Amino acid sequence: AAIVRSDNGVIALPGGMVDAGEIVSATVRREFAEEVLNLPSEAQRSEVTRLLDQLFAGGGGGKVVYRGYVDDPRNTDNAWMETTAFHFHCTADLAVQLPLRAGDDAHNVTWLDVDDAEPRYAALYASHKDWVDRVACELRLRKGHSPKAVAAPAEATPPAPQGRRKPQRSMLGLGRLRIGSPKAARPATTGYGASPPPSPPPSEPASP
């Protein structure tokens, strides 16, 4: 499913910030439910919980498509966004049972055909399309179909570990962390929860 973002009207994958102590696969499920399945009644939410259990395999399934730095307008010299994007495969039978209803940061929500001839898919936000293309290519190869319709994107080049990050054409992913200053030692993280940015080092006294 894809959402129409309420902040800029762009079509994108659902996703959001990882809460402290939360694993990224749990973030993906929570954000999907908030942005894609915003249902009004308790009975509807109860039924959707059962369907989400199937889709997300109890929180233990899913395949990491990308993990690392992403370009983001909120990035600064001292703090930046990192993302983990997961693929959870939704069968056609399960998809027709999910009652899509936009909520939270989503203005609208829809299923999209993974096809470059679909204008909305071709216009997916930032690198979201690259990641879906990668998964589509793998699925076609697995099923014995020709992958020519969707070319696999090149591997992302990791950013330099020090100094200001070079802007890249990459995405805001499904689970995002805000990481602290590259000028100091990075705080220890599991990759699944954000640690607070370290305090800046004290200023050195001027030489006489």
Side-chain angles (χ1 to χ4, degrees), residues 11-182:
I11 298 176
L13 299 176
M17 293 292 183
V18 178
D19 290 340
E22 187 177 43
I23 64 172
V24 180
S25 59
T27 303
V28 174
R29 174 172 174 151
R30 173 175 56 78
E31 291 288 343
F32 185 85
E34 291 174 357
E35 297 183 347
V36 176
L37 301 171
N38 180 35
L39 302 177
S41 74
E42 183 61 36
Q44 288 175 306
R45 289 192 292 270
S46 178
E47 172 61 15
V48 160
T49 297
R50 181 185 67 81
L51 298 174
L52 289 176
D53 287 342
Q54 296 179 42
L55 176 59
F56 291 98
K63 178 182 178 182
V64 174
V65 180
Y66 175 84
R67 178 182 284 129
Y69 169 80
V70 290
D71 198 25
D72 188 281
R74 293 163 290 188
N75 289 350
T76 70
D77 287 346
N78 299 315
W80 60 92
M81 296 290 177
E82 295 194 1
T83 261
T84 302
F86 276 88
H87 169 222
F88 289 89
H89 190 68
C90 183
T91 65
D93 290 341
L94 181 57
V96 297
Q97 300 178 65
L98 292 172
L100 303 186
R101 181 186 173 97
D104 196 31
D105 298 329
H107 173 70
N108 200 0
V109 59
T110 184
W111 293 109
L112 288 181
D113 290 333
V114 181
D115 187 341
D116 286 334
E118 163 60 74
R120 296 173 301 170
Y121 176 71
L124 274 176
Y125 180 73
S127 293
H128 293 205
K129 180 178 180 298
D130 292 340
W131 291 8
V132 179
D133 283 350
R134 184 188 304 277
V135 173
C137 183
E138 292 177 357
L139 291 176
R140 286 186 173 93
L141 288 173
R142 189 182 307 168
K143 293 180 180 180
H145 298 312
S146 170
K148 292 181 180 180
V150 178
E155 293 292 335
T157 302
Q162 298 294 327
R164 183 164 187 166
R165 301 300 179 99
K166 182 179 179 181
Q168 301 179 37
R169 299 185 63 83
S170 52
M171 71 171 283
L172 300 179
L174 303 180
R176 297 192 290 271
L177 308 180
R178 188 167 180 85
I179 309 297
S181 171

